[in-house]
mmCIF file of all heavy atoms in Angstrom:
data_model
loop_
_atom_site.group_PDB
_atom_site.id
_atom_site.type_symbol
_atom_site.label_atom_id
_atom_site.label_comp_id
_atom_site.label_asym_id
_atom_site.label_seq_id
_atom_site.Cartn_x
_atom_site.Cartn_y
_atom_site.Cartn_z
ATOM 1 N N ASN P 76 60.086 24.659 -68.595
ATOM 2 C CA ASN P 76 61.202 25.605 -68.639
ATOM 3 C C ASN P 76 62.537 24.907 -68.853
ATOM 4 O O ASN P 76 63.393 25.364 -69.605
ATOM 5 C CB ASN P 76 61.256 26.385 -67.326
ATOM 6 C CG ASN P 76 60.282 27.550 -67.289
ATOM 7 O OD1 ASN P 76 60.065 28.169 -68.312
ATOM 8 N ND2 ASN P 76 59.730 27.818 -66.139
ATOM 9 N N ALA P 77 62.731 23.797 -68.142
ATOM 10 C CA ALA P 77 64.021 23.081 -68.256
ATOM 11 C C ALA P 77 64.211 22.509 -69.633
ATOM 12 O O ALA P 77 65.327 22.529 -70.202
ATOM 13 C CB ALA P 77 64.054 21.972 -67.217
ATOM 14 N N ALA P 78 63.127 22.014 -70.258
ATOM 15 C CA ALA P 78 63.218 21.405 -71.614
ATOM 16 C C ALA P 78 63.483 22.505 -72.658
ATOM 17 O O ALA P 78 64.328 22.298 -73.536
ATOM 18 C CB ALA P 78 61.952 20.661 -71.915
ATOM 19 N N ILE P 79 62.810 23.634 -72.523
ATOM 20 C CA ILE P 79 63.069 24.729 -73.463
ATOM 21 C C ILE P 79 64.539 25.182 -73.375
ATOM 22 O O ILE P 79 65.261 25.312 -74.393
ATOM 23 C CB ILE P 79 62.188 25.977 -73.132
ATOM 24 C CG1 ILE P 79 60.696 25.679 -73.363
ATOM 25 C CG2 ILE P 79 62.603 27.229 -73.929
ATOM 26 C CD1 ILE P 79 59.789 26.751 -72.769
ATOM 27 N N THR P 80 64.999 25.374 -72.147
ATOM 28 C CA THR P 80 66.356 25.852 -71.933
ATOM 29 C C THR P 80 67.396 24.896 -72.496
ATOM 30 O O THR P 80 68.348 25.294 -73.148
ATOM 31 C CB THR P 80 66.607 26.048 -70.431
ATOM 32 O OG1 THR P 80 65.589 26.895 -69.912
ATOM 33 C CG2 THR P 80 67.970 26.612 -70.125
ATOM 34 N N THR P 81 67.183 23.610 -72.227
ATOM 35 C CA THR P 81 68.158 22.602 -72.684
ATOM 36 C C THR P 81 68.207 22.556 -74.223
ATOM 37 O O THR P 81 69.274 22.485 -74.854
ATOM 38 C CB THR P 81 67.824 21.230 -72.097
ATOM 39 O OG1 THR P 81 67.644 21.345 -70.703
ATOM 40 C CG2 THR P 81 68.886 20.197 -72.399
ATOM 41 N N THR P 82 67.016 22.646 -74.838
ATOM 42 C CA THR P 82 66.964 22.638 -76.304
ATOM 43 C C THR P 82 67.688 23.854 -76.860
ATOM 44 O O THR P 82 68.458 23.759 -77.811
ATOM 45 C CB THR P 82 65.500 22.617 -76.775
ATOM 46 O OG1 THR P 82 64.818 21.549 -76.079
ATOM 47 C CG2 THR P 82 65.395 22.395 -78.278
ATOM 48 N N LEU P 83 67.434 25.031 -76.266
ATOM 49 C CA LEU P 83 68.103 26.251 -76.746
ATOM 50 C C LEU P 83 69.625 26.125 -76.556
ATOM 51 O O LEU P 83 70.400 26.554 -77.437
ATOM 52 C CB LEU P 83 67.619 27.507 -75.988
ATOM 53 C CG LEU P 83 66.209 27.978 -76.381
ATOM 54 C CD1 LEU P 83 65.739 29.059 -75.438
ATOM 55 C CD2 LEU P 83 66.186 28.488 -77.816
ATOM 56 N N LEU P 84 70.040 25.560 -75.455
ATOM 57 C CA LEU P 84 71.488 25.440 -75.205
ATOM 58 C C LEU P 84 72.151 24.572 -76.263
ATOM 59 O O LEU P 84 73.272 24.835 -76.711
ATOM 60 C CB LEU P 84 71.738 24.847 -73.795
ATOM 61 C CG LEU P 84 71.543 25.831 -72.646
ATOM 62 C CD1 LEU P 84 71.355 25.126 -71.327
ATOM 63 C CD2 LEU P 84 72.731 26.789 -72.578
ATOM 64 N N ILE P 85 71.425 23.556 -76.710
ATOM 65 C CA ILE P 85 71.991 22.678 -77.762
ATOM 66 C C ILE P 85 71.984 23.357 -79.113
ATOM 67 O O ILE P 85 72.962 23.392 -79.842
ATOM 68 C CB ILE P 85 71.240 21.328 -77.794
ATOM 69 C CG1 ILE P 85 71.467 20.550 -76.495
ATOM 70 C CG2 ILE P 85 71.655 20.499 -79.019
ATOM 71 C CD1 ILE P 85 70.541 19.352 -76.317
ATOM 72 N N ARG P 86 70.826 23.929 -79.459
ATOM 73 C CA ARG P 86 70.625 24.467 -80.800
ATOM 74 C C ARG P 86 71.327 25.823 -81.033
ATOM 75 O O ARG P 86 71.840 26.118 -82.085
ATOM 76 C CB ARG P 86 69.144 24.599 -81.158
ATOM 77 C CG ARG P 86 68.418 23.253 -81.136
ATOM 78 C CD ARG P 86 68.915 22.278 -82.181
ATOM 79 N NE ARG P 86 68.679 22.769 -83.532
ATOM 80 C CZ ARG P 86 68.994 22.107 -84.644
ATOM 81 N NH1 ARG P 86 69.597 20.935 -84.550
ATOM 82 N NH2 ARG P 86 68.753 22.615 -85.799
ATOM 83 N N GLU P 87 71.272 26.683 -80.007
ATOM 84 C CA GLU P 87 71.779 28.058 -80.185
ATOM 85 C C GLU P 87 73.232 28.216 -79.705
ATOM 86 O O GLU P 87 73.942 29.099 -80.126
ATOM 87 C CB GLU P 87 70.921 29.078 -79.395
ATOM 88 C CG GLU P 87 69.467 29.077 -79.822
ATOM 89 C CD GLU P 87 69.248 29.562 -81.237
ATOM 90 O OE1 GLU P 87 69.954 30.507 -81.664
ATOM 91 O OE2 GLU P 87 68.398 28.986 -81.948
#
Side-chain angles (χ1 to χ4, degrees):
N76 277 324
I79 293 168
T80 305
T81 309
T82 309
L83 286 172
L84 283 162
I85 294 169
R86 299 297 296 182
E87 302 293 322

